[in-house]
Amino acid sequence: MANKDRLKVLFVSVEVAPFAKTGGLADVAGSLPKSLVSMGHDVRIAMPKFQQIKTDMKYVTDFPVTLNNRKETCIVREGEIAFKYNNENLSVPVYFLDNYHLYDREGIYCYYDDAERFAFLCKAALDMLPKIEFQPDIIHCNDWHTGPICMLLNEKYKQYPFYRNTKSIFTIHNLEYQGHFPKEVLWLFDVGEEVFTPEKVEFYGRFNFMKAGLVYADIINTVSETYAKEIKTPQYGEMLEGVLIKRSKDLYGIVNGIDYDVFNPSEDPRIVKNYDVNSIELKKENKYALQKEMGLPVKDVPVIGLISRLSSQKGLNLIMDEIDEIMKNDIQFVLLGQGDEYYETGFRKIQEKYPKKMGVYIGFNAPLAQRIYAGSDLFLMPSRFEPCGLGQLFSLRYGTIPIVRATGGLAETVFDVEKYGEKGNGFTYTEFSSKEMLNTINRALKFYNTKPEEWKKLVRRAMSIDNSWDRSARKYLELYRKLVGIK
Ligand code: ADP
């Protein structure tokens, strides 16, 4: 590729798989840069060095970052995501921004000083660049933690020649989490009071990190076209729909892909029996192993899987409402998740009530997630909203048929087989109601039980769909090119 076409991008994210993950953001941040690097671009990642990150890394530099009147040191260490592409060894450089006080903790989020922790990330990511002599064309920011980077670039850094031509793109992975804090947070960023207005970062008297991204980014995008439309309405806009409507012409939607190398049922070392589209009968062995692992009777019944953050976004209360009806079927249900105590306790109770039909694992367990994707027959996502959703993409790849509420990215990636015939790959419904969910589960079970040959075809079709990053990464490149003015 000619040098002038080779884009330089700094990708900033708090979660990056395989280093730190609570949800889909990590999957995207760990795989989209790989895809862009394999297309010949210079894409590097910056993220906090959390305690749980144990990968090989080497010291690069250190410098002070001011937070109010206090100075904190940022130590930059470099690691990588190494991968093979067409037999070539490639890698995405990862800059781990290390600060003992702020990041050497067990978890990723939900500390009393999150505003400081992520203000540090924003400032350190920008300050690092001249020191490591990397002058990106684009800084790609992800979710609320990185929103103020867009503000800082425009309000402060662009006065320095080094940053003058750097553009920003802000990706919304979930609009619900916005990071709003008391006004005083403004002083962490050394910007003037004039940015604290409703047109800029002020949000009902508070400083809103997400809004800083939405107002100041050169381009905004979110992780499906449907969610890009939905968030301009009061139902999905999380009180920021006004800002998004105002920025409509700069707001895009690109559906996520998944990493087809890491998530490949024919090679995945985490599952019990590898299989592919020509050997789907082997998938059963994963089901039996999963039943055993979850303490359920090993037998030939349809298994419904669910893997999720346990939050109100995910429509889990609908399952709790209808669990007795769902369990009237001859099925097993396997749930892996962690989050709100209300749901953790609720599902544990359901397990106690149905010990032979319900398997519950509360916690975060990535290898078990793979065994559920591989071992289940159906995968349930009754989400209230879903910006993109990756669970349905993983389950399709593993021949596990999704049952979803058609919202956000789910509406773009799952098509009801009873409506779309040969184009169908799952079961969908539209209204956010427990009755519709129940009817759809029952419809799927009937299909499974009464049409075994068609079910096999459906499984093969699901596994053959291409939801890899290729297409979506090209769309990101189009956006990047638009930003830097290359046709
Ligand atoms: P969200 O980003 O809203 O959490 P997504 O469907 O986009 O939802 O992505 C969720 C990702 O997190 C998937 O990779 C899923 O497998 C994973 N995941 C969620 N909960 C767990 C858990 N408890 N253990 C392991 N993986 C999980």
Side-chain angles (χ1 to χ4, degrees):
M1 168 186 303
N3 231 358
K4 67 171 184 28
D5 296 328
R6 188 168 190 247
L7 291 167
K8 287 187 284 177
V9 181
L10 181 74
F11 202 93
V12 190
S13 174
V14 166
E15 295 187 33
V16 180
F19 307 118
K21 168 167 171 176
T22 70
L25 169 62
D27 292 308
V28 175
S31 51
L32 172 59
K34 279 167 74 174
S35 199
L36 295 165
V37 164
S38 69
M39 292 172 182
H41 298 281
D42 183 357
V43 182
R44 310 182 191 184
I45 299 173
M47 71 179 297
K49 159 71 180 72
F50 297 114
Q51 193 182 70
Q52 58 184 268
I53 302 174
K54 305 285 187 223
T55 187
D56 285 346
M57 52 183 91
K58 61 174 199 293
Y59 169 89
V60 179
T61 182
D62 66 89
F63 53 88
V65 175
T66 319
L67 293 176
N68 256 332
N69 301 320
R70 188 170 104 232
K71 271 199 173 38
E72 289 284 350
T73 301
C74 176
I75 303 172
V76 181
R77 302 178 200 280
E78 186 178 342
E80 63 173 6
I81 299 177
F83 64 104
K84 258 198 164 37
Y85 180 76
N86 283 348
N87 275 335
E88 200 185 340
N89 289 319
L90 296 176
S91 78
V92 184
V94 182
Y95 299 108
F96 295 102
L97 308 180
D98 197 357
N99 176 279
Y100 176 79
H101 295 123
L102 299 168
Y103 299 142
D104 194 21
R105 307 179 190 181
E106 223 172 90
I108 299 178
Y109 309 115
C110 300
Y111 292 99
Y112 70 96
D113 55 350
D114 275 0
E116 280 192 5
R117 296 171 72 234
F118 300 126
F120 176 90
L121 169 69
C122 294
K123 294 177 93 172
L126 285 164
D127 289 346
M128 159 186 87
L129 295 171
K131 296 186 171 64
I132 61 168
E133 294 176 18
F134 182 55
Q135 193 169 24
D137 303 301
I138 292 161
I139 302 186
H140 189 149
C141 302
N142 295 277
D143 269 355
W144 71 264
H145 333 93
T146 59
I149 291 177
C150 308
M151 172 188 78
L152 287 168
L153 255 183
N154 283 285
E155 292 286 349
K156 225 177 131 205
Y157 285 69
K158 285 214 171 165
Q159 64 181 296
Y160 308 115
F162 183 88
Y163 298 92
R164 200 152 289 156
N165 296 321
T166 300
K167 306 280 188 206
S168 59
I169 172 166
F170 181 77
T171 300
I172 307 166
H173 297 263
N174 191 329
L175 191 63
E176 186 178 24
Y177 304 102
Q178 296 180 6
H180 48 80
F181 301 95
K183 177 186 171 182
E184 291 66 41
V185 158
L186 190 60
W187 313 130
L188 295 170
F189 294 104
D190 325 305
V191 288
E193 177 113 23
E194 65 277 5
V195 307
F196 200 73
T197 65
E199 288 69 42
K200 295 185 172 172
V201 303
E202 190 260 351
F203 179 76
Y204 299 93
R206 292 164 73 81
F207 180 96
N208 186 319
F209 273 56
M210 170 76 78
K211 194 173 171 192
L214 301 183
V215 168
Y216 284 102
D218 293 307
I219 278 186
I220 306 165
N221 90 299
T222 184
V223 288
S224 65
E225 284 178 30
T226 311
Y227 193 58
K229 288 191 194 114
E230 287 172 341
I231 55 180
K232 287 187 276 183
T233 66
Q235 190 186 349
Y236 296 94
E238 308 285 349
M239 295 164 82
L240 284 173
E241 61 274 15
V243 181
L244 290 159
I245 289 169
K246 226 171 163 174
R247 296 228 51 196
S248 262
K249 74 171 189 9
D250 302 316
L251 171 62
Y252 298 83
I254 301 177
V255 75
N256 288 329
I258 55 171
D259 192 325
Y260 264 45
D261 296 329
V262 177
F263 299 98
N264 178 356
S266 66
E267 285 176 7
D268 194 334
R270 295 162 293 195
I271 67 175
V272 169
K273 186 79 193 174
N274 291 118
Y275 58 100
D276 63 21
V277 71
N278 298 314
S279 57
I280 56 168
E281 65 288 350
L282 299 178
K283 184 169 159 58
K284 263 219 170 102
E285 293 190 35
N286 291 294
K287 167 146 98 179
Y288 298 147
L290 178 66
Q291 291 171 323
K292 213 164 156 192
E293 181 171 2
M294 299 302 287
L296 296 169
V298 176
K299 58 181 200 175
D300 247 327
V301 287
V303 172
I304 302 178
L306 191 154
I307 304 167
S308 183
R309 288 183 297 109
L310 303 182
S311 85
S312 70
Q313 170 196 341
K314 301 293 182 179
L316 303 163
N317 42 331
L318 304 191
I319 301 174
M320 287 171 155
D321 290 349
E322 297 293 348
I323 196 69
D324 292 329
E325 288 301 315
I326 296 172
M327 288 304 188
K328 280 184 185 159
N329 293 296
D330 190 14
I331 57 156
Q332 291 175 351
F333 197 126
V334 173
L335 178 141
L336 163 64
Q338 69 176 9
D340 297 356
E341 208 181 311
Y342 169 77
Y343 297 112
E344 292 189 354
T345 315
F347 282 109
R348 279 200 181 104
K349 282 201 180 131
I350 293 173
Q351 184 186 26
E352 279 164 25
K353 188 167 174 191
Y354 295 101
K356 293 212 162 85
K357 297 183 103 173
M358 182 89 192
V360 173
Y361 182 109
I362 301 294
F364 192 89
N365 188 333
L368 175 58
Q370 289 322 112
R371 293 196 287 276
I372 295 177
Y373 287 124
S376 305
D377 298 293
L378 292 149
F379 192 82
L380 182 60
M381 294 180 78
S383 305
R384 182 162 60 81
F385 70 93
E386 197 60 76
C388 175
L390 294 177
Q392 82 281 15
L393 304 184
F394 293 129
S395 51
L396 286 166
R397 174 88 167 130
Y398 284 74
T400 299
I401 304 304
I403 302 173
V404 307
R405 173 169 174 250
T407 180
L410 296 174
E412 278 168 44
T413 52
V414 184
F415 305 98
D416 197 293
V417 63
E418 295 190 317
K419 200 165 154 198
Y420 288 87
E422 292 291 297
K423 226 193 116 198
N425 60 9
F427 296 87
T428 70
Y429 61 96
T430 45
E431 197 187 310
F432 185 68
S433 86
S434 59
K435 287 284 171 267
E436 274 219 41
M437 179 196 68
L438 180 66
N439 287 341
T440 314
I441 293 174
N442 289 341
R443 213 156 45 80
L445 290 171
K446 189 168 169 207
F447 197 108
Y448 177 95
N449 287 322
T450 59
K451 300 179 179 167
E453 284 313 310
E454 283 198 42
W455 187 267
K456 278 186 207 150
K457 270 199 222 156
L458 176 59
V459 169
R460 280 196 209 103
R461 201 152 63 230
M463 292 182 74
S464 311
I465 298 166
D466 183 3
N467 284 313
S468 69
W469 264 109
D470 265 21
R471 200 168 355 118
S472 301
R474 279 180 215 292
K475 289 196 176 154
Y476 272 100
L477 277 180
E478 270 172 42
L479 277 195
Y480 288 171
R481 292 205 171 104
K482 195 179 290 222
L483 261 181
V484 300
I486 307 176
K487 287 272 169 302

